[in-house]
Amino acid sequence: MTKGIQFDASGKLTHLLTLEGLSRQALVEILDTAESFIAVGEREIKKVPLLRGHTVVNLFFEPSTRTRTTFEIAAKRLSADVINLGVSTSSTTKGETLLDTVRNLEAMRTDLFVVRHAESGAAHLIAQHVPKHVHIINAGDGRHAHPTQGLLDVFTIRRHKGAFEKLKVALIGDILHSRVARSDIHALNTLGVKELRVIAPKTLLPTAVEKLGVVPYTDIEAGLDDVDVVMMLRIQRERMQGAHIPSEQEYFRVYGLTPDKLACAKPDAIVLHPGPMNRGLEIDSTVADGPRSLILPQVTYGIAVRMAVMALILGGREEPLGRRA
Ligand code: NCD
């Protein structure tokens, strides 16, 4: 449903709502563009003039540390103006109010909305209602999608492990409630990983998970055997109704990533986590802070990836006011 509106008539990216249906070529173009922005973050003056005169609105209806901040830094490094709005979910839970909020911000001649919302489909709904010169990036909608996180995860893997075709990748933890898992799965399958596994108790796996193109494991040691990349997921307590895990101690004992369990993966396997981490629940500090962890580099790469997405969407378009003439 969503992919049709992500590109304009000329084939240029106009919204980024999901990675589902994005071609390998489109993903690689974003990753290559991100690679070119890494250097900007390493300079003394970390700024390029690409989006001068554009206004980006960070519209966050759910809490965020990394995503909101890295979008803001990314926009500023591209010389855009940035407005940050954290909107309490209690005042805007349903479509009409959400659209009204956006319409008001749009009347201020803003160009790009980065939207996070607890409802799956919120960013898509907004994208359907904004005029052509306004663009939407989904920064996480419910359990549905978190496309820039998926992109920064595959960017990290490509930088540290090279060709996707050679790689066995395992996602571990709360697959059921995770929008990151869904975006990772779409990206990794499109980019052609050799094998994609998900490891979780049955209660945290969606039904018919195989249909997503993954091999499910409930035994973490079997699932980790010989993998190159271990992607941890946070236990999403805020999205759980009822008991999905027996107790935190029991979950950590069986599914927490400890050095002993990581020893089942390849000796040079890398470890990723989108943050925020629950230390001692899904991951042991020895692993999180250990030599195979790329958890902090992921955050750094997230800036370049978000710069790439914003540059591909807004860059090379007419001057903001000219578009409306
Ligand atoms: C993720 C999210 O919000 O979906 N975090 C993030 O963007 N860095 C994952 C999570 O909250 O577990």
Side-chain angles (χ1 to χ4, degrees):
M1 55 144 190
T2 315
K3 47 193 158 172
I5 70 166
Q6 299 199 107
F7 294 89
D8 64 18
S10 68
K12 188 171 161 65
L13 191 64
T14 187
H15 306 295
L16 181 66
L17 308 173
T18 175
L19 299 181
E20 186 178 8
L22 245 60
S23 67
R24 186 181 183 130
Q25 191 194 350
L27 293 178
V28 169
E29 186 187 12
I30 299 171
L31 300 183
D32 290 347
T33 309
E35 195 64 53
S36 74
F37 283 127
I38 287 284
V40 177
E42 285 164 359
R43 287 187 209 153
E44 202 180 320
I45 297 177
K46 303 177 184 60
K47 227 172 171 73
V48 289
L50 211 63
L51 299 187
R52 203 168 46 185
H54 287 90
T55 305
V56 173
V57 182
N58 268 332
L59 189 54
F60 278 61
F61 296 88
E62 264 194 344
S64 171
T65 308
R66 277 147 291 265
T67 306
R68 200 203 55 70
T69 315
T70 51
F71 263 112
E72 179 175 354
I73 292 175
K76 286 182 169 165
R77 287 191 183 165
L78 293 168
S79 305
D81 296 308
V82 189
I83 310 295
N84 290 302
L85 273 177
V87 187
S88 123
T89 24
S90 58
S91 61
T92 49
T93 44
K94 286 286 179 282
E96 205 173 24
T97 325
L98 172 65
L99 290 177
D100 271 343
T101 307
V102 172
R103 280 194 191 108
N104 279 275
L105 293 162
E106 206 186 283
M108 302 172 198
R109 303 235 150 166
T110 49
D111 303 287
L112 173 72
F113 290 90
V114 178
V115 182
R116 169 169 288 190
H117 200 284
E119 300 279 331
S120 298
H124 182 257
L125 176 80
I126 297 172
Q128 281 176 311
H129 287 87
V130 290
K132 271 223 292 272
H133 59 265
V134 175
H135 308 276
I136 309 298
I137 296 175
N138 181 6
D141 62 326
R143 306 178 181 192
H144 174 237
H146 190 353
T148 57
Q149 181 70 45
L151 287 166
L152 81 86
D153 290 344
V154 293
F155 182 86
T156 307
I157 294 172
R158 191 177 80 159
R159 267 207 138 207
H160 290 265
K161 285 279 155 201
F164 292 100
E165 302 75 39
K166 297 184 307 198
L167 301 178
K168 292 184 191 169
V169 180
L171 274 101
I172 308 183
D174 191 355
I175 315 285
L176 181 66
H177 301 101
S178 174
R179 53 198 177 202
V180 176
R182 269 166 262 286
S183 288
D184 284 345
I185 290 169
H186 291 309
L188 289 163
N189 276 331
T190 305
L191 291 166
V193 286
K194 187 169 169 190
E195 208 177 306
L196 185 51
R197 305 174 183 176
V198 291
I199 306 172
K202 275 212 171 66
T203 48
L204 292 179
L205 284 173
T207 44
V209 69
E210 299 85 351
K211 288 197 182 134
L212 295 172
V214 296
V215 184
Y217 286 80
T218 49
D219 179 332
I220 186 166
E221 288 177 2
L224 279 174
D225 180 44
D226 204 37
V227 302
D228 303 275
V229 180
V230 184
M231 305 177 79
M232 301 307 299
L233 297 166
R234 183 175 63 89
I235 291 289
Q236 313 250 313
R237 291 194 194 89
E238 75 279 18
R239 295 188 212 287
M240 291 184 186
Q241 279 141 6
H244 285 75
I245 55 173
S247 74
E248 297 199 346
Q249 291 85 341
E250 181 68 2
Y251 183 85
F252 181 69
R253 193 183 63 75
V254 182
Y255 289 102
L257 190 64
T258 55
D260 281 0
K261 294 192 193 102
L262 185 57
C264 301
K266 289 219 175 96
D268 60 351
I270 56 172
V271 177
L272 278 63
H273 191 304
M277 276 187 281
N278 292 307
R279 290 174 182 262
L281 176 53
E282 70 253 359
I283 191 164
D284 187 79
S285 283
T286 323
V287 176
D289 305 327
R292 287 147 76 180
S293 164
L294 292 175
I295 297 171
L296 291 176
Q298 280 178 276
V299 179
T300 310
Y301 301 150
I303 299 172
V305 167
R306 290 172 173 131
M307 285 172 83
V309 172
M310 287 192 275
L312 287 167
I313 289 178
L314 285 177
R317 294 187 188 268
E318 291 166 47
E319 281 306 298
L321 286 176
R323 289 204 308 273
R324 295 178 173 94

